């Protein structure tokens, strides 16, 4: 199969989560579009509007997080011209007193294509409320 | 000012919430695209994929809800060609033992333009966790 636009988009989405895991703000700068209309909803947070507010939220999250590991599943990507959107499940692993907890978060991510790159313009993440939310190692 | 594509999109978004309030499944049929790739996240629910699953969720919600009143705020709409996305706050008013409660939900809604109509293809709604979540009448 030939590479498709969706594959580039899936890779951009995966890159976003690797950067999230790295907690490197300079790399987060490179993943996002920097316009006044970019938006971000972290789980339970109000909607942040504009790159300045979005960037500050990443700075705050990175300052207050010791370590974060993700696996991403259920990835579905679609494109219409220069706009792409991806839905996925963020499976966040954390170590709580020797037990591995898995938190499932659903995400809708929008990207705009600028030359060869897909840049994030919208991230909406929210908790799934279910009995399968945590597991013991 | 001339009417813009965004204005048509804002109206499609408003129509979705009027239909939600009406709890009329036949009208909900008309608001959504019916493809296998449409997706829906109700607050706290897992992601539903495909029109059949999405439609069933609306049927279940309408069966289990007595009355629902919305006001929509913070509406921001953008279009790229035949794709449009809207973010907004759903302020859901409910009457709980004589007290009016307001629940704030954030939504990301995607629409595709088919001829003159904007049809919903994705709805992601999630709770905001804040002390301002409820108010007394």
């Amino acid at each position: 199969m030939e590479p498709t636009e969706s594959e580039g988009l899936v890779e951009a989405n995966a890159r976003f989560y690797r950067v999230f895991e790295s907690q490197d703000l300079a790399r987060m700068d490179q993943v996002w579009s920097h316009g006044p209309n970019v938006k971000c909803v972290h789980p339970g947070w109000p909607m942040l509007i504009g790159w300045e507010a979005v960037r500050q939220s990443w700075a705050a999250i990175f300052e207050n997080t010791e370590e974060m590991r993700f696996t991403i599943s259920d990835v579905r990507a679609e494109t219409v011209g220069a706009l792409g959107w991806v839905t996925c499940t963020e499976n966040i692993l954390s170590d709580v007193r020797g037990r591995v907890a898995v938190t499932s978060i659903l995400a809708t991510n929008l990207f705009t294509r600028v030359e060869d790159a897909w840049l994030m313009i919208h991230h909406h993440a929210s908790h799934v409320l279910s009995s399968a939310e945590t597991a013991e190692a």
Side-chain angles (χ1 to χ4, degrees), chain A:
Chain A
M1 291 213 320
E2 291 180 7
T4 63
E5 282 203 316
S6 290
E7 288 171 358
L9 181 59
V10 167
E11 173 49 34
N13 189 66
R15 185 180 171 219
F16 163 70
Y17 288 105
R18 288 196 302 272
V19 170
F20 196 160
E21 234 174 11
S22 78
Q23 302 195 38
D24 182 336
L25 196 58
R27 288 179 66 191
M28 197 56 100
D29 286 344
Q30 296 172 355
V31 169
W32 279 80
S33 171
H34 293 186
N37 293 327
V38 303
K39 302 180 195 78
C40 185
V41 182
H42 300 294
W45 289 41
M47 188 168 291
L48 306 171
I49 314 272
W51 173 238
E52 282 308 310
V54 173
R55 188 178 197 272
Q56 281 174 24
S57 74
W58 290 115
I61 287 169
F62 292 166
E63 273 168 27
N64 292 288
T65 307
E66 284 206 12
E67 194 195 342
M68 209 166 216
R69 287 173 294 154
F70 287 95
T71 60
I72 303 304
S73 60
D74 310 318
V75 178
R76 290 163 187 267
E78 295 186 62
T79 63
V80 170
L83 198 95
W85 65 102
V86 182
T87 58
C88 60
T89 303
E90 308 171 355
N91 307 284
I92 303 180
L93 307 174
S94 52
D95 192 325
V96 183
R97 284 173 245 157
R99 288 180 181 178
V100 175
V102 182
T103 304
S104 286
I105 304 233
L106 294 179
T108 299
N109 299 322
L110 271 67
F111 296 83
T112 184
R113 196 181 54 227
V114 180
E115 295 171 2
D116 286 341
W118 285 103
L119 297 177
M120 185 168 266
I121 55 173
H122 184 61
H123 172 62
H124 186 159
S126 64
H127 283 103
V128 185
L129 307 177
S130 82
S131 55
E133 212 175 333
T134 56
E136 289 189 17

